[in-house]
Amino acid sequence: ANIIHYSRNDKLMKDGVLLKMDAGGELFGYASDVTRAWPVNGRYTSAQRDVYEAVLEVHQSCIQKCQPGASLRDLHSFSVRSLQTAMANLGITDGSSNYRRYYPHALGHWLGMDTHDTPSVGQQRDMV
């Protein structure tokens, strides 16, 4: 699910591929979004399962890092290092900066009155 948004939405879903969902919601005037991916046929291939498990492990490690004093920048940097290692272990990359092909954006963003309306809140700000 770590790809830039596909906006034409005219491709057929085929067996063996993943469906990406980028959904948003609002509650009491605050907006958020979440991105996920599922196998179209309900079953991951072996390679897809390996990637899923690696990303899930990094995700869970990032959640553990969400503590007072941590910033989105800190978490993003940690996620990059962790994903570089995971992708190298899977043989997807050599562990260098070519991770950007698979992870071209940030780990997350602040919530606001619109999903991306917080450009004045720095990524280095503590998340407390």
Side-chain angles (χ1 to χ4, degrees), residues 10-127:
D10 63 353
K11 291 189 178 179
L12 293 176
M13 295 184 287
K14 298 179 182 178
D15 189 44
V17 300
L18 299 176
L19 168 67
K20 177 189 171 203
M21 176 199 70
D22 190 43
E26 291 186 23
L27 182 64
F28 303 120
Y30 285 91
S32 179
D33 66 338
V34 63
T35 303
R36 295 291 183 263
W38 294 276
V40 170
N41 66 6
R43 292 178 309 279
Y44 289 105
T45 66
S46 177
Q48 289 168 342
R49 172 65 62 188
D50 291 345
V51 171
Y52 173 85
E53 294 291 339
V55 171
L56 179 60
E57 185 176 320
V58 171
H59 174 81
Q60 291 169 334
S61 295
C62 287
I63 290 171
Q64 294 297 317
K65 295 283 186 183
C66 291
Q67 298 180 8
S71 68
L72 280 177
R73 180 175 289 159
D74 296 337
L75 288 173
H76 177 71
S77 295
F78 175 78
S79 73
V80 167
R81 291 188 306 275
S82 300
L83 285 171
Q84 284 176 309
T85 299
M87 287 188 291
N89 289 343
L90 290 171
I92 297 170
T93 68
D94 63 5
S96 66
S97 64
N98 58 4
Y99 74 91
R100 291 181 189 275
R101 176 178 177 199
Y102 305 98
Y103 190 27
H105 48 70
L107 174 75
H109 53 78
W110 296 101
L111 303 180
M113 303 310 269
D114 187 19
T115 303
H116 301 103
D117 77 344
T118 55
S120 63
V121 181
Q123 296 288 312
Q124 72 282 356
R125 183 176 175 173
D126 287 0
M127 295 186 301

